């Protein structure tokens, strides 16, 4: 697929499917998140980690690939900014974002790999689960663009999944066992028996699904492509993926306590869990000193 085809496909997906509100009050895109009460505290605390890495106050916060600013925790990032500049290639995303951010938002249909802004203008930046939608040739330009428009002395927080996570790979066999047990229990209870039979693979596919074009990257790619030009650090955002959460975390099995323990460990070793877990939080710091 060409660069234009990828972007058209992604735009069309979010305009027509991803940001459609479903009857349960969530966007279709929320299907790819674990919204069960047992995981809620962990998921919310991970969202709030972003606040540590960006300036708490400022004039303009850039949200690159804002979507509809779908979770309440997302609003905390721009709480003490004058304006949140929401950028997205999906007009539906921005129409929905306006419902939440309102007058304190500025809404720009644009491509994150070609930002229509002057250099050094944003006091803070976030880009969440967006750069993985870019074609390979646009990934580096997107990081460069985020760096260019960032104000010197400020920082940006970027979240995307790694192509491969050592921790998720290590726990895969356990996840498979738990998935099998879960299906067996559901069948025993006679719940939607027919559906469940088909769903060994369907449930797994749903947890792994992405809906549209996605190409993730790796710490090696970052080092090779960015380390010479963009100062960045890797922290943990969330070390486990949705498939892991759905398989392993259950209320009767002390799921909440398990996640508290995981969060505690992530806090002790953010670099390790950022590098080896599923979702890193990449922080770009722009120096005030001119590089000669
Ligand atoms: C997975 S959603 C994430 C939205 C939001 N950041 C969140 O975490 O809920 C990805 C968003 O990025 C947008 N997007 C994808 N490619 C883009 C691009 N090249 N430029 C701007 N936005 C893009 C999509 O339209 C979509 O709204």
């Amino acid at each position: 697929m060409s660069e234009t085809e990828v972007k058209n496909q992604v735009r069309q997906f979010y305009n027509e499917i991803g940001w459609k509100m479903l009857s349960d009050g969530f966007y279709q895109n929320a299907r790819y998140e674990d919204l069960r009460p047992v995981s809620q505290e962990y998921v919310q605390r991970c969202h709030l980690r972003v606040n540590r890495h960006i300036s708490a106050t400022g004039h303009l916060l850039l949200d690159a690939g804002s979507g509809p600013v779908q979770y309440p925790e997302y609003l905390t990032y721009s709480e003490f900014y004058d304006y949140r500049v929401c950028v997205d290639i999906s007009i539906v995303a921005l129409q929905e974002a306006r419902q939440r951010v309102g007058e304190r938002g500025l809404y720009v249909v644009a491509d994150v790999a070609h930002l229509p802004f002057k250099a050094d203008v944003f006091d803070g930046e976030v880009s969440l689960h967006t750069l993985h939608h870019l074609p390979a040739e646009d990934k580096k330009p997107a990081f460069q663009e985020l760096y260019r428009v960032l104000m010197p002395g400020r920082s940006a927080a970027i979240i995307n999944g790694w192509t491969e996570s050592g921790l998720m790979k290590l726990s895969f066999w356990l996840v498979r066992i738990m998935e099998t047990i879960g299906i067996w229990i559901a069948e025993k209870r006679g719940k939607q028996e027919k559906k469940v039979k088909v769903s060994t693979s369907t449930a797994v596919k749903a947890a792994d699904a992405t809906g549209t074009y996605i190409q993730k990257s790796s710490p090696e790619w970052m080092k090779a492509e960015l380390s010479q030009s963009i100062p960045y650090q890797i922290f943990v955002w969330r070390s486990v993926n949705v498939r892991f959460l759905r398989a392993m975390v259950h209320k009767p099995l002390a799921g909440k306590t398990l996640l508290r323990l995981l969060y505690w460990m992530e806090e002790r070793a953010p670099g390790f869990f950022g590098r080896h877990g599923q979702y890193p939080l990449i922080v770009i710091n722009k120096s005030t000193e001119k590089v000669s």
Side-chain angles (χ1 to χ4, degrees):
M1 258 197 290
S2 72
E3 183 191 328
T4 313
E5 282 167 341
V6 167
K7 288 181 184 168
N8 284 341
Q9 192 205 79
V10 172
R11 178 190 294 111
Q12 192 180 358
F13 171 79
Y14 281 104
N15 277 342
E16 294 175 10
I17 300 170
W19 301 133
K20 280 279 169 295
M21 187 66 86
L22 302 180
S23 54
D24 57 8
F26 291 102
Y27 293 109
Q28 185 277 346
N29 176 266
R31 293 282 175 276
Y32 312 123
E33 180 54 283
D34 181 6
L35 299 172
R36 295 171 308 149
V38 67
S39 304
Q40 195 179 30
E41 180 187 86
Y42 174 72
V43 168
Q44 286 177 343
R45 288 169 97 189
C46 294
H47 283 312
L48 293 174
R49 278 185 168 135
V50 169
N51 283 312
R52 295 179 197 165
H53 299 284
I54 54 171
S55 169
T57 58
H59 180 46
L60 299 174
L61 177 89
L62 173 64
D63 187 344
S66 67
V69 191
Q70 61 178 326
Y71 300 117
E73 298 78 32
Y74 283 3
L75 287 170
T76 63
Y77 311 154
S78 54
E79 200 173 350
F80 302 109
Y81 279 76
D82 296 332
Y83 293 100
R84 182 180 189 121
V85 180
C86 297
V87 168
D88 207 289
I89 49 165
S90 154
I91 182 80
V92 176
L94 297 175
Q95 285 162 348
E96 293 292 315
R98 188 189 285 273
Q99 313 239 4
R100 294 191 180 80
V101 186
E103 302 277 285
R104 300 238 334 262
L106 301 166
Y107 306 92
V108 184
V109 176
D111 178 359
V112 293
H114 307 275
L115 291 171
F117 306 118
K118 284 199 275 188
D120 306 337
V121 286
F122 290 100
D123 295 285
E125 297 177 358
V126 294
S127 180
L128 317 168
H129 312 286
T130 293
L131 301 192
H132 60 207
H133 285 311
L134 294 174
E137 62 270 31
D138 265 357
K139 285 195 193 303
K140 187 172 175 181
F143 275 99
Q144 287 168 327
E145 279 292 82
L146 290 170
Y147 187 65
R148 179 183 68 78
V149 300
L150 183 63
M151 196 179 279
R154 301 295 180 139
S155 55
I158 299 164
I159 296 168
N160 283 288
W162 294 130
T163 321
E164 204 172 84
S165 149
L167 286 176
M168 291 301 92
K169 238 174 134 181
L170 213 64
S171 59
F172 187 64
W173 62 273
L174 205 55
V175 168
R176 288 297 291 269
I177 291 172
M178 290 299 283
E179 283 172 350
T180 310
I181 295 174
I183 288 162
W184 181 78
I185 291 174
E187 278 178 354
K188 279 272 163 229
R189 284 181 183 159
K191 261 194 201 165
Q192 305 170 329
E193 197 163 331
K194 237 178 162 180
K195 233 174 166 184
V196 169
K197 273 205 177 110
V198 194
S199 79
T200 314
S201 59
T202 317
V204 169
K205 272 188 202 139
D208 282 347
T210 56
T212 185
Y213 175 92
I214 283 203
Q215 196 191 62
K216 298 181 181 171
S217 50
S218 64
E220 293 73 33
W221 178 87
M222 295 211 51
K223 192 167 178 208
E225 297 293 330
L226 305 180
S227 59
Q228 299 297 317
S229 51
I230 299 177
Y232 70 86
Q233 286 173 285
I234 299 175
F235 298 93
V236 64
W237 177 65
R238 192 164 106 184
S239 55
V240 295
N241 57 27
V242 170
R243 184 170 178 179
F244 179 98
L245 288 172
R246 288 185 185 155
M248 307 289 293
V249 176
H250 301 282
K251 197 171 168 215
L253 301 180
K256 211 168 168 180
T257 308
L258 180 77
L259 290 178
R260 282 185 181 162
L261 179 66
L262 177 64
Y263 185 84
W264 181 85
M265 292 195 303
E266 290 171 350
E267 291 293 291
R268 299 285 129 347
F272 173 83
F273 284 96
R275 195 163 276 275
H276 301 288
Q278 185 67 72
Y279 296 102
L281 194 163
I282 312 289
V283 178
I284 292 179
N285 288 299
K286 189 163 177 178
S287 166
T288 44
E289 285 166 30
K290 282 244 179 282
V291 185
S292 55

